[in-house]
Amino acid sequence: MVPRATDRLLIVVSVLEGRYFPKRPKHLLIVEAKFDGEQLATDPVEHTDQPEFATELAWELDRKALHQHRLQRTPIKLQCCVLDPVSSSKDNIGYIVLDLRAAQEKKQAPKWYPLLSNKYTKFKSEIQVGVVLETDSKALVDGFKAKEAPPRAGEASALISGLDPQSIVPVLNEEEGCHQIGPAEYCRDYFVLSVTIVFATQLEQLVPTTMKLPERQPEFFFYYSLLGNDVTNEPFTDLIDPNFEPERASVRIRSTVDVLQVYLCALSKLQIHLCCGDQSLGSAEIPLSGLLKKGNAEIDQRPVAIEGAFVLVPPNRAKQKLPQLPLDMAPTVGVSVILQRESLSAQLVIPLNAPTGPNQPQEKVLSAVKGKTEGLQQRSQNAPSQVSRSSLTQDEATESEVESLKFEKGMEVKKKADNGPVAASQPIPVGASSSSEPSAQKIVIPAASHHFCFSIDLRSIRGLEVGFPINCILRYSYPFFGSAAPIMTSPPVEVRKNMEVFLPQSYCAFDFATIPHQLQDTFLRLPLLVELWHKDKTAKDILLGMARLQLSNVLASEKTRFLGGNGEQCWRQTYNETVSVTAVQGSGSRIADLSYAITLEDHGLVKMQEVLVSDSSQCVGAGQQWRVPHIQPRCAQENPPEPRETLEYKAALELEMWKEMQEDIFENQLKKKEMVHMQVLAEEWKKREREREALVKKKVSEYTVLEEQLQKTLRDLDKRERQLFSAESELQTVKKDLQAEHERKLQELQDSVRRAREECAHQVELERSKIKQLEEDKLRLQQQLNEAESKHKILEKEFQQFKEQQSSKPEIKLQSEINLLTLEKVELERKLESATKSKLHYKQQWTRALKELARLKQREQENAMAHLKKQQQELEHMRLRYLAAEEKELGKPDHQELEDIRNELNRLKQQEEERRQLQDVTANSAGRVSNSRKLNENMDDYLSRLIEERDTLLKTGVYSHEDHIVSELDRQIREAIAKRSITK
């Protein structure tokens, strides 16, 4: 059936803003909302005094689930956290709890909610939150779909091998009421994970002497997180003798064995904390990696479990430097973790809201759909290995059954007599007595009796051979276990052909005391008969068949050892079997198969004690009715009667006797109350004495550890003192050696200084003698110098005379001229070299100038061509005009005059050229006479320079042989060649 769109709702929580927050720069605020096991969070915002969240969080559900949550008062918890981006740490600063019943479909104004357990104690921080119900508008299309084929083995193994253990996270599946671990298309097997806290010992060791507990009676409890679900047990107040009912918390898991093994290895440990309020006193770690071993198929046949006593470690033991306690005094907690398979068909048949009876094992089923914890009372001190529960509903039990259950619940010690529990229920007559001591019916348990716990789990029924579907109920009774009331499964489950159904609430445990051989004899003689009933709503219930369970089979199974609630060693035997259910009518053929499991636990010997059965006659005198004898009237006698025989006297005597009796009764009541009060005081005194003894033991152990530490410290101090003494002696020795060495060095230094002084004095004397000798040598050399100067003056005069005599000779004159010419030559060579360098520089500049000139010439030529064309045109016009004017105006005289002027100019040019050639010839002849040799030497250089300049101009490409400058250079080259040939 496709649900209507109006049946789908959205719970929308609007987290708008906050106020009265402290400013914390470089920090972020985030609000996490948790509802029905699903957690949503807002985006991180800046940590200011008024943070702006402006976020809506929504959960989808139908109206039926909403109604169920409202009945269960499921809260919506908002957790406000501070996020540090640098260290990636997240701290909780407070929380808000919203009531789902206040959410309506009409729009409501948001409200301000204060933060509870606010870490900012100086600020009253508040958050504005609104809650509203909205209709889910998205289309719901749920048609028939083909059943998905199971994954292939290769694909599943490849997927599992590629899974990252850190990426496997449990995901809540609300539709099927389980947690999905691993890919949904491959992980389809159902499992049940159960955790049971059984007992705890030596918890007072976790409370430090410096810790201040609440003034009122503090409450302690155990806390742990199971797949994101927070679980706590029933609080208790006594740490020395903790008295709490064992509770089992279970979650359904949809996964495979391989993925679950990888997840448990990654999860590694389960932490269980002992808490007082919001403070953790200690924690124990239960390793989960050994629950499923790789390649082990044990879980396919039987449940796997981890059981034992685990040590509770106080927080920050290393930081507080707490001493290590002995193993027998260490605080421990007994925990049982069980993992077993559960088929999908059984989970579909078992209803989630099954009623619970008053005599069921205490269990917490963490259901993802219901979102709550079902509390049941567990009788055994160790968690059973099954998930099914026993049931006995009050509406189906008879009045005698309810009375027997109440009687068992009111008993303080659940032990039975040697001859079986039947004798305990038989009344023992007690006669009326006038004594003031109360009398009661008691059962004496002999010392040879053992404390046994027997549990029966009717797991499943299958192979039904009846022609119609039945509403199955199983019923059995075994008076040997202490109660004749029948035990029944509840509620009825529908069973069809070719279908296996797991029975709900089919687990029951019995505690009793008996002798082992009597237990063995009873199990051998009396089998357990289990009746199969069909419950019809319109007609009377029908008994279909009966199964016979042979309980003696459990005695032959293997024994396993475990620790009891008080730390004693106990033994456990478990037996699993499937038996046939035979029909009660007809030929007695098989109509179904019943699978069951029975467990027998032996908790050891029971001490001699009396069990109070009835307290009906607490005071004998209180139940008696005093009667005044009936006095018949008599006739008056003549003689007066004796005073003691009169009626008044007898009435007064009886009244006095009644008063004395009432006084005795009152005194007896007072004595009894006094005894009760004294007993209460004695128990309180014993309790406090035990507390004081425990504290004294704890103090003694602490003082012992401190004494050992003090002795160790003293030994270390003695050792250190000896080391210091030896070090001081060594230091004194070293100091003496250093002093002697210092004195020796000082003496050597003084000797060296003395020797140095003597050597210096000797050197000074030597230097003085040398100076004296040098002064004498100086005087002697001075005299020699004066003599040499006089000789030099004489020789200089003689040389001057000789020079004057020689200067008159012609050779000397020629030599002086040669010297002058040599100097001139050197000067000219220097000038030539500088001219050569300047020539190269000018040549480079000339080359650049030529290139620039070529560009200018080309541009000028272009301009000249254009100008020339223009002038030619103008000249043509002018020529025409001139010709016309010449013909008209000019005459022949003017032509003759012009011709004379031209001839005169040509004559003057010829004269100037002749004069210039004459000067050149004169200069050349004079130069040949004086510098003929020099010209011959420089002619080649001049010729090579001209040739090089001509080649350079031609290489530029600007000039050609027809240019004026090139033709001029050719002319000079020819003249130079001709001159060189003439000079030769």
Side-chain angles (χ1 to χ4, degrees), residues 554-625:
V554 74
L555 301 175
S557 60
E558 183 181 359
K559 290 186 177 181
T560 58
R561 182 182 299 177
F562 69 99
L563 293 178
N566 297 324
E568 72 275 11
Q569 292 187 358
C570 306
W571 297 91
R572 177 184 295 149
Q573 293 173 285
T574 304
Y575 181 74
N576 302 323
E577 190 184 17
T578 301
V579 297
S580 300
V581 181
T582 57
V584 294
Q585 297 178 357
S587 60
S589 60
R590 186 189 71 84
I591 60 174
D593 292 332
L594 174 63
S595 177
Y596 72 97
I598 53 178
T599 303
L600 178 64
E601 297 177 356
D602 187 0
H603 294 268
L605 293 173
V606 178
K607 295 183 180 179
M608 177 69 71
Q609 52 183 314
E610 294 180 347
V611 178
L612 183 64
V613 174
S614 176
D615 195 13
S616 61
S617 59
Q618 293 184 358
C619 183
V620 177
Q624 296 177 355
Q625 295 180 356

Side-chain angles (χ1 to χ4, degrees), residues 11 75 500 576 582 740 898:
I11 302 177
E500 181 180 5
N576 302 323
T582 57
L898 289 174

Side-chain angles (χ1 to χ4, degrees), residues 771-931:
I771 290 172
K772 188 177 181 180
Q773 183 68 31
L774 289 173
E775 288 179 352
E776 293 176 355
D777 293 341
K778 178 182 176 183
L779 293 174
R780 182 172 51 78
L781 291 173
Q782 189 69 29
Q783 292 177 358
Q784 292 179 0
L785 180 60
N786 293 333
E787 293 176 356
E789 285 180 355
S790 60
K791 288 181 180 180
H792 176 68
K793 290 179 180 179
I794 295 169
L795 290 174
E796 189 174 355
K797 290 179 179 179
E798 291 178 355
F799 178 72
Q800 189 66 26
Q801 293 175 0
F802 177 75
K803 186 177 181 181
E804 291 176 353
Q805 292 176 2
Q806 292 294 330
S807 60
S808 58
K809 294 182 179 180
E811 292 85 357
I812 299 303
K813 291 181 179 179
L814 290 175
Q815 187 65 36
S816 61
E817 290 179 0
I818 290 171
N819 291 335
L820 290 173
L821 291 174
T822 302
L823 293 174
E824 290 179 358
K825 177 185 176 183
V826 171
E827 183 67 20
L828 290 174
E829 288 179 352
R830 185 180 63 79
K831 291 181 179 181
L832 179 62
E833 185 177 358
S834 62
T836 305
K837 291 181 179 178
S838 61
K839 174 190 175 184
L840 293 175
H841 176 69
Y842 293 147
K843 184 177 181 181
Q844 294 175 356
Q845 295 293 333
W846 177 256
T847 304
R848 286 196 294 271
L850 289 177
K851 291 180 180 179
E852 184 67 23
L853 182 61
R855 288 194 297 271
L856 292 174
K857 183 179 179 181
Q858 185 175 1
R859 189 164 57 248
E860 187 65 26
Q861 285 178 356
E862 292 175 355
N863 295 332
M865 289 295 294
H867 187 65
L868 183 60
K869 289 181 180 179
K870 186 176 180 181
Q871 286 181 350
Q872 284 180 356
Q873 293 176 359
E874 293 177 354
L875 287 174
E876 186 66 24
H877 291 294
M878 290 177 67
R879 187 177 64 81
L880 294 175
R881 287 197 302 269
Y882 178 74
L883 290 176
E886 187 178 11
E887 290 178 358
K888 292 179 181 180
E889 297 176 0
L890 296 178
K892 293 181 179 178
D894 294 331
H895 285 282
Q896 186 65 36
E897 186 178 354
L898 289 174
E899 192 69 29
D900 294 338
I901 293 170
R902 189 179 299 166
N903 293 332
E904 183 68 24
L905 288 174
N906 291 331
R907 186 179 58 82
L908 291 175
K909 284 182 180 180
Q910 289 177 0
Q911 290 177 1
E912 184 67 23
E913 287 178 359
E914 289 176 357
R915 185 178 59 82
R916 189 181 297 169
Q917 290 177 359
L918 181 61
Q919 289 178 358
D920 291 338
V921 170
T922 305
N924 289 333
S925 61
R928 286 194 199 97
V929 174
S930 60
N931 298 324

Side-chain angles (χ1 to χ4, degrees), residues 153-201:
E155 295 179 359
S157 60
L159 179 66
I160 294 170
S161 61
L163 277 178
D164 184 12
Q166 301 297 330
S167 64
I168 302 177
V169 179
V171 179
L172 183 64
N173 188 343
E174 296 183 2
E175 296 179 357
E176 299 187 7
C178 63
H179 287 79
Q180 180 71 41
I181 299 180
E185 62 270 15
Y186 293 99
C187 304
R188 300 180 182 177
D189 298 337
Y190 284 85
F191 302 86
V192 175
L193 178 64
S194 305
V195 178
T196 309
I197 299 178
V198 184
F199 65 90
T201 59

Side-chain angles (χ1 to χ4, degrees), residues 2 12 44 110 256-257 313 322 344-345 385 451 466 475 496 535 551 581 585 587 589 647 671 674 697 705 877 913:
V2 180
V12 181
T256 60
V257 177
V313 181
L322 299 176
L344 178 59
S345 61
S385 60
H451 176 200
V466 182
R475 182 178 183 274
R496 300 176 182 270
K535 188 174 181 63
L551 302 183
V581 181
Q585 297 178 357
S587 60
S589 60
L647 297 176
K671 288 180 181 179
E674 183 181 2
K697 288 181 181 179
V705 174
H877 291 294
E913 287 178 359

Side-chain angles (χ1 to χ4, degrees), residues 91-109:
D91 298 326
N92 295 331
I93 61 173
Y95 66 92
I96 296 172
V97 178
L98 303 178
D99 191 359
L100 185 59
R101 295 175 297 175
Q104 303 296 332
E105 294 189 15
K106 60 182 180 180
K107 193 71 174 180
Q108 294 180 349

Side-chain angles (χ1 to χ4, degrees), residues 211-214 218-221 274-281:
M211 179 182 175
K212 291 184 180 180
L213 294 176
E219 290 187 349
F220 305 93
F221 59 90
L274 174 64
C275 302
C276 178
D278 57 353
Q279 185 177 4
S280 176
L281 303 179

